[in-house]
């Protein structure tokens, strides 16, 4: 009988947790704050969301990110702007040229008034 009560209690607790889900706040560690330019509304873009102006994953504007928009690859390679070691444009290879990130960071700062998030790749 005692085992049955403990089993039922555990079953009810598990069921309650499954039904209510996790009540913690969402993790914004992969998001970035951007304004829409119309009234200061915040737009949160996740790392794998490429609808915003900034590619958080690679640390460049989305429109200039050939790692996300592969149609841009040939243009960078044709100009000789390519790092074979890290498979990205040399001008965007922050592993070989960490100083190059500063020019992209300055553009982000001019647009949003704060430092950009560090690229994750």
């Amino acid at each position: 009988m005692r085992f049955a009560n403990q089993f039922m209690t555990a079953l009810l607790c598990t069921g309650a947790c499954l039904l209510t889900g996790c009540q913690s706040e969402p993790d914004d560690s992969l998001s970035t704050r951007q304004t829409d330019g119309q009234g200061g509304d915040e737009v949160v873009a996740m790392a794998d969301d490429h609808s915003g102006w900034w590619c958080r994953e690679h640390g460049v504007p989305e429109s200039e990110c050939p790692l996300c928009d592969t149609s841009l690859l040939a243009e960078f390679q044709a100009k000789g702007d390519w790092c074979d070691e890290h498979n990205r444009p040399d001008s965007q290879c922050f592993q070989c040229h960490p100083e190059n990130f500063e020019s992209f960071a300055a553009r982000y700062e001019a647009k949003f008034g704060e430092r950009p998030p560090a690229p994750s790749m």
Side-chain angles (χ1 to χ4, degrees):
M1 184 71 158
R2 185 171 148 191
F3 174 76
N5 286 341
Q6 290 175 340
F7 178 76
M8 287 301 292
T9 301
L11 185 61
L12 287 172
C13 289
T14 301
C17 288
L18 290 173
L19 289 174
T20 60
C22 180
Q23 298 299 319
S24 66
E25 292 296 315
D27 180 9
D28 287 338
S29 64
L30 296 177
S31 65
T32 185
R33 203 170 56 79
Q34 298 181 358
T35 58
D36 65 0
Q38 300 298 316
D41 295 334
E42 281 190 6
V43 177
V44 176
M46 299 306 288
D48 59 353
D49 176 16
H50 301 286
S51 64
W53 180 79
W54 188 255
C55 176
R56 180 181 176 99
E57 186 176 10
H58 302 116
V60 298
E62 281 288 348
S63 64
E64 300 172 35
C65 187
L67 301 174
C68 294
D69 181 358
T70 56
S71 70
L72 301 172
L73 285 172
E75 181 182 337
F76 282 96
Q77 290 171 336
K79 292 189 291 187
D81 183 4
W82 198 254
C83 175
D84 289 324
E85 183 179 351
H86 299 110
N87 199 32
R88 65 187 65 228
D90 197 48
S91 61
Q92 297 177 10
C93 184
F94 308 136
Q95 292 171 324
C96 291
H97 308 285
E99 69 279 4
N100 287 356
F101 180 69
E102 288 309 311
S103 65
F104 291 102
R107 291 169 58 195
Y108 185 97
E109 286 179 43
K111 187 169 181 79
F112 299 110
E114 61 188 27
R115 289 285 297 170
S120 60
M121 295 185 68

